[in-house]
Amino acid sequence: DKAQVKNYTIALAQNALADLMADNVTDIIAIQKYEPLTKEEIITNNIELIKNIFLPVKSHFFILGNDYVIGQSKYIPPYIPSVEINTKLSSDTTNKIPLAYTVRIELQLLDAANNPDAGDFSRMTCKAKKGSIAKDSLDIFGTNFGYVPVKKVAIPSILNTSKATQNRPFTKIQKEWEERNKYVKAPATERERIALEKTWTPLQRKMAEFDRNQDAYNKIPPLWIKETQDLKTKYTDFTTEMVKLWQELKDIEKSNSDAQGVLKPDSFVKDLLDGVKTKMKAAIEQARVNTRELNPFKPDKPTLDIAALIEKLAGLTNRQEVAKELDREMNTSKAAEQATIDYKYVKPLLEGTGLESKETDLRVFKEQEANLTDKITALMSSEKPADKYNAEAVKVELAKLQGDIRKKMTDIAMIKEKYNIDKIITDWNQVFGKRELLSRTVEMAKNKDEKKIQNETVNKELDAKLKEIKDYKKELLLAKFFAGDYDELSKSDKESYEKKSMRDRPLDSVQTLQANLDTAKADYLEIARKFSVFNKVQALITLLNDDVAAIKKLKDAKKSERDAKERDIKTKNSDKLAIARSAESAKRELTPADEDKLKVYDKDIAVIQ
């Protein structure tokens, strides 16, 4: 019954969260109505439920390896549903459930490393307990019974904590990532700045330089950047298309030429070639522009002879030559379009300076100067004293006007120097080019670091798998010993294995252990292959070297055993020879004792052999 949904939800929340919410104000909506909860009420309650499970007050919270205690956990509405829809849960068009919700949770954190008693009332000091009781009393009864709060020592900021907590383990990769990404307070003095920069990694230095360049980059009009890049893309695509058409032209010529490479004068072939050349002409006409219309402040250049260009391209022999020729011939059109883009975004800078009005004023002042100069000349040439007197007054007016002219000229010169179109565009190109270079450099450095970390992870995994392989090899030798197969065992190995009891015998059979060993080797190579082919080759070499080392060790042990046996046989043969020579020198027959010794020696030699 949908009417009971609200009652069930509230009862579930109250029963499940009674302990969690005992000491904390909750944002769960308790609506005393008997109709079903609204969609917003359900979502808000679920957010609060999840918050109280994962971020409860007095629980521990970790930031970059540092341990904190949550003093307050609060949901800040509203939630923001995603545009994407969860297709598995949205069964119809009317009930579309978002794939995710963006939720803001505000936490008050206390540094657990410097405040180990935080969150545990029983471990608080008397002064801390007194303050806690007074706060609870004020909240419940509206009075703290005259308690005067003691000024607390400033709690260390979460941005400047002491050290990483020891309460949970961290992998090497996580520690390195946290070191690279941990917030560091900005230096206040030059000495602090120098000390900080000495601790930077090469990647951090590159990123700092990128950030400095970003300030200058942000001053460039974004649309100028976009249109400039679009222009480059346009001509790059044009060159690619023209090279394809040129290749098509060459393929037609090659497939319709005789053994000597002479093109057949066929009307059908000519029509094919003309069709490709028509496409080339259309592509050029679409790409190029009217330079006279687009270039308002630079001199125009001669127009392009499209037919001559196509014939020139047809006579070239490789793609590189075609691309270079297109770049050279289309450069005029490209430069004109770029100049138009530049002028469009520099012109607004000039409009705010009043340059045009100042230049108009200067022309008027110069006309007035010319009129006053002519007037002074006429008055000075007159014979009347009054005219000469008036000439002096006009000179004063001329001097004042010339002062205004010099001031106007200075203002205009300063504006032109500050807002020089070529200089502004050059600066923009330099900043943009430097940013692109820095961006690639930073990306390469990041990739290098990530590859290094990835390599270390793979090596660690490979080391663990290699240890597993060696353990399987040892178990396999032991299993073969108990199975009576001694081919891969040296004398010392057999002697050590003979000391083992049947309880030490591997549980798995020789066949099972051999299969496990083969699987472990295959896994070892697969781990290396996932990183790179080169790593797989290195892994294979490692396995082979390990096998070769084991075989060499067995070979050396067998050789040592064989040499010892040969020395033993040689010694016994020498003893036999000594007995024979002793009887011969005494000119007597071998005694029964001598014959018994010789029989023993022969028997020992036979056993050794």
Side-chain angles (χ1 to χ4, degrees):
D1 185 0
K2 290 185 179 181
Q4 299 301 318
V5 172
K6 186 260 326 177
N7 295 334
Y8 173 77
T9 307
I10 291 180
L12 176 67
Q14 289 174 344
N15 293 334
L17 302 178
D19 293 335
L20 288 172
M21 298 184 295
D23 297 327
N24 186 36
V25 178
T26 177
D27 294 324
I28 285 184
I29 303 170
I31 303 173
Q32 300 302 319
K33 296 187 296 185
Y34 287 95
E35 63 271 14
L37 293 174
T38 65
K39 177 181 175 182
E40 288 73 17
E41 290 168 352
I42 293 173
I43 295 172
T44 302
N45 277 2
N46 286 341
I47 290 170
E48 182 68 19
L49 174 66
I50 293 169
K51 176 182 74 67
N52 282 320
I53 291 173
F54 291 100
L55 298 170
V57 173
K58 299 181 183 178
S59 66
H60 287 258
F61 189 81
F62 299 91
I63 299 178
L64 297 178
N66 295 280
D67 189 5
Y68 302 95
V69 174
I70 299 178
Q72 184 177 358
S73 177
K74 188 176 181 181
Y75 160 57
I76 309 295
Y79 58 83
I80 303 173
S82 65
V83 178
E84 296 84 358
I85 301 300
N86 190 326
T87 54
K88 292 183 179 180
L89 299 179
S90 303
S91 55
D92 52 54
T93 56
T94 58
N95 186 26
K96 294 183 178 180
I97 300 176
L99 185 64
Y101 292 89
T102 302
V103 179
R104 180 181 172 191
I105 306 292
E106 186 179 86
L107 302 178
Q108 287 185 358
L109 302 178
L110 184 66
D111 186 1
N114 295 328
N115 300 271
D117 296 335
D120 190 346
F121 184 84
S122 64
R123 298 175 61 186
M124 286 184 181
T125 62
C126 293
K127 185 182 293 185
K129 287 180 180 178
K130 186 178 179 182
S132 178
I133 293 171
K135 181 180 180 300
D136 292 341
S137 175
L138 185 64
D139 291 340
I140 297 169
F141 303 109
T143 177
N144 59 9
F145 301 101
Y147 172 76
V148 179
V150 180
K151 288 187 178 180
K152 296 181 180 180
V153 179
I155 298 172
S157 167
I158 64 169
L159 302 179
N160 299 285
T161 49
S162 50
K163 61 178 181 178
T165 180
Q166 303 300 319
N167 294 344
R168 65 170 181 160
F170 297 95
T171 62
K172 181 181 179 184
I173 296 175
Q174 187 175 2
K175 280 185 177 293
E176 289 178 350
W177 181 88
E178 290 174 353
E179 280 300 318
R180 289 196 305 272
N181 292 277
K182 186 174 181 180
Y183 174 84
V184 180
K185 184 181 177 183
T189 64
E190 186 67 14
R191 187 188 298 276
E192 289 180 3
R193 184 189 67 79
I194 294 171
L196 176 64
E197 291 184 2
K198 284 182 179 178
T199 64
W200 284 352
T201 62
L203 175 58
Q204 286 174 320
R205 294 181 188 279
K206 292 183 178 71
M207 292 179 71
E209 188 177 357
F210 180 84
D211 290 339
R212 287 193 293 270
N213 179 261
Q214 185 69 27
D215 294 335
Y217 179 80
N218 290 338
K219 296 177 182 177
I220 303 175
L223 287 177
W224 177 86
I225 295 173
K226 181 182 182 304
E227 291 187 25
T228 299
Q229 289 184 315
D230 290 346
L231 182 64
K232 290 180 181 178
T233 303
K234 169 189 169 182
Y235 279 93
T236 301
D237 294 344
F238 163 74
T239 302
T240 303
E241 180 65 22
M242 287 294 291
V243 169
K244 286 182 180 178
L245 291 172
W246 172 85
Q247 187 62 53
E248 186 178 343
L249 205 66
K250 289 298 175 184
D251 291 342
I252 294 172
E253 291 178 353
K254 184 177 179 180
S255 59
N256 293 280
S257 299
D258 56 21
Q260 286 73 32
V262 179
L263 186 66
K264 298 175 183 177
D266 191 334
S267 60
F268 175 72
V269 174
K270 186 177 182 301
D271 288 342
L272 289 176
L273 295 175
D274 289 343
V276 176
K277 289 179 180 180
T278 301
K279 292 180 183 177
M280 295 176 79
K281 180 181 179 183
I284 295 172
E285 288 177 342
Q286 184 177 0
R288 68 188 293 273
V289 295
N290 188 327
T291 59
R292 189 178 299 279
E293 290 179 3
L294 286 176
N295 196 337
F297 55 91
K298 289 193 175 181
D300 196 10
K301 294 185 178 180
T303 55
L304 180 65
D305 189 341
I306 297 178
L309 174 59
I310 293 174
E311 292 303 321
K312 190 173 183 180
L313 294 175
L316 299 176
T317 56
N318 61 64
R319 291 168 173 263
Q320 289 76 17
E321 290 179 355
V322 173
K324 287 181 180 178
E325 186 62 30
L326 285 169
D327 186 59
R328 182 165 50 251
E329 292 294 342
M330 299 297 289
N331 186 58
T332 300
S333 178
K334 183 179 178 181
E337 288 191 69
Q338 184 62 58
T340 306
I341 294 170
D342 296 342
Y343 185 75
K344 182 166 65 173
Y345 291 102
V346 174
K347 188 177 179 182
L349 300 177
L350 298 174
E351 290 174 352
T353 61
L355 179 63
E356 292 183 3
S357 63
K358 285 182 172 57
E359 287 180 336
T360 303
D361 292 342
L362 181 61
R363 285 195 297 272
V364 173
F365 286 164
K366 289 200 171 183
E367 290 175 0
Q368 293 176 358
E369 181 187 25
N371 293 334
L372 290 176
T373 303
D374 293 341
K375 187 176 180 180
I376 290 171
T377 303
L379 290 172
M380 291 299 293
S381 62
S382 174
E383 296 296 330
K384 297 179 180 179
D387 290 341
K388 291 182 179 181
Y389 176 79
N390 290 333
E392 294 299 326
V394 176
K395 285 181 181 180
V396 173
E397 186 180 351
L398 177 62
K400 184 176 180 298
L401 181 62
Q402 288 174 340
D404 294 337
I405 290 173
R406 286 192 296 271
K407 186 176 182 303
K408 283 289 181 193
M409 291 176 67
T410 303
D411 292 343
I412 291 170
M414 289 178 65
I415 291 171
K416 286 186 175 181
E417 183 179 356
K418 184 177 180 181
Y419 296 98
N420 181 279
I421 292 176
D422 291 335
K423 185 177 183 303
I424 291 172
I425 297 303
T426 301
D427 291 343
W428 286 356
N429 280 313
Q430 286 178 351
V431 172
F432 180 72
K434 187 176 180 181
R435 185 181 185 278
E436 291 292 300
L437 178 62
L438 287 171
S439 180
R440 288 194 298 270
T441 305
V442 169
E443 195 62 32
M444 288 172 60
K446 282 183 178 179
N447 291 339
K448 185 178 178 182
D449 279 6
E450 288 173 2
K451 196 162 187 179
K452 179 183 175 184
I453 294 171
Q454 188 181 2
N455 201 7
E456 289 175 355
T457 306
V458 171
N459 287 338
K460 187 176 179 181
E461 196 173 349
L462 288 175
D463 290 342
K465 186 59 70 173
L466 186 60
K467 183 178 181 300
E468 183 183 339
I469 290 171
K470 290 181 178 180
D471 291 340
Y472 276 133
K473 284 183 176 180
K474 290 178 182 178
E475 283 193 76
L476 184 60
L477 288 176
L478 185 58
K480 285 184 176 180
F481 169 78
F482 282 104
D485 183 359
Y486 306 136
D487 290 343
E488 298 179 32
L489 298 176
S490 64
K491 183 180 179 182
S492 60
D493 290 336
K494 283 192 287 185
E495 289 174 352
S496 65
Y497 286 163
E498 285 169 354
K499 297 177 184 178
K500 295 182 180 294
S501 65
M502 290 301 293
R503 288 180 298 179
D504 299 322
R505 181 174 182 172
L507 298 176
D508 294 323
S509 65
V510 173
Q511 292 77 11
T512 302
L513 288 171
Q514 184 63 56
N516 291 340
L517 177 60
D518 294 340
T519 302
K521 286 184 175 181
D523 292 343
Y524 183 78
L525 295 176
E526 181 61 19
I527 291 168
R529 184 197 65 77
K530 285 180 180 178
F531 187 68
S532 70
V533 177
F534 174 77
N535 276 55
K536 182 181 178 181
V537 175
Q538 288 295 110
L540 185 58
I541 291 171
T542 301
L543 291 179
L544 292 174
N545 282 339
D546 191 55
D547 290 341
V548 169
I551 294 170
K552 185 176 183 300
K553 181 182 177 182
L554 180 63
K555 172 193 167 189
D556 292 342
K558 295 280 188 182
K559 184 177 182 299
S560 178
E561 292 172 18
R562 186 191 63 194
D563 293 344
K565 290 178 180 179
E566 288 178 351
R567 286 194 302 270
D568 202 4
I569 292 172
K570 188 176 180 181
T571 301
K572 293 187 182 300
N573 282 328
S574 298
D575 291 341
K576 285 174 61 179
L577 185 60
I579 292 171
R581 284 178 178 174
S582 176
E584 186 180 351
S585 62
K587 295 181 180 181
R588 61 176 175 80
E589 295 291 330
L590 292 173
T591 64
D594 291 338
E595 288 179 352
D596 289 340
K597 286 183 179 179
L598 290 174
K599 287 179 181 178
V600 171
Y601 286 144
D602 288 339
K603 185 178 180 181
D604 290 343
I605 290 171
V607 170
I608 293 170
Q609 288 174 338

